[in-house]
Amino acid sequence: MCCVALRTPLALRYPGVAKWLLMHGPAFPSLLPFLDSAVALLQQAGFGDLTAYAYSALFNHAFLMLAPGDDRKQHEGNGAGITPP
């Protein structure tokens, strides 16, 4: 489940979601199975006591890459050349 979610950037279809998640975190109960899977995979990969740091780095990096594109889409003629999927 976790790896499939990482290959499908659904946040690109909903501008503003990436930035909101960066600011507020995954605050919905429906995200708990995803979080549990992600943490379990990182623990299995051997991160041990550093699992929380690894998860934070991956989560933040992924959404920090999407959020600026969302901001640029809000302004016509910005030269970004970004089009939603």
Side-chain angles (χ1 to χ4, degrees):
M1 179 169 107
C2 173
C3 295
V4 172
L6 293 175
R7 285 188 219 134
T8 308
L10 293 175
L12 285 176
R13 296 183 192 166
Y14 305 99
V17 169
K19 188 174 186 177
W20 191 94
L21 284 170
L22 280 168
M23 293 174 63
H24 303 284
F28 302 102
S30 60
L31 291 175
L32 289 178
F34 172 80
L35 296 175
D36 288 341
S37 295
V39 169
L41 285 171
L42 291 170
Q43 288 174 336
Q44 290 171 8
F47 282 93
D49 291 340
L50 299 175
T51 297
Y53 293 110
Y55 177 84
S56 293
L58 292 169
F59 180 88
N60 289 334
H61 180 73
F63 286 102
L64 280 169
M65 298 304 295
L66 298 175
D70 288 348
D71 289 342
R72 292 187 80 178
K73 285 184 219 173
Q74 293 178 5
H75 305 283
E76 290 186 39
N78 63 18
I82 300 171
T83 56

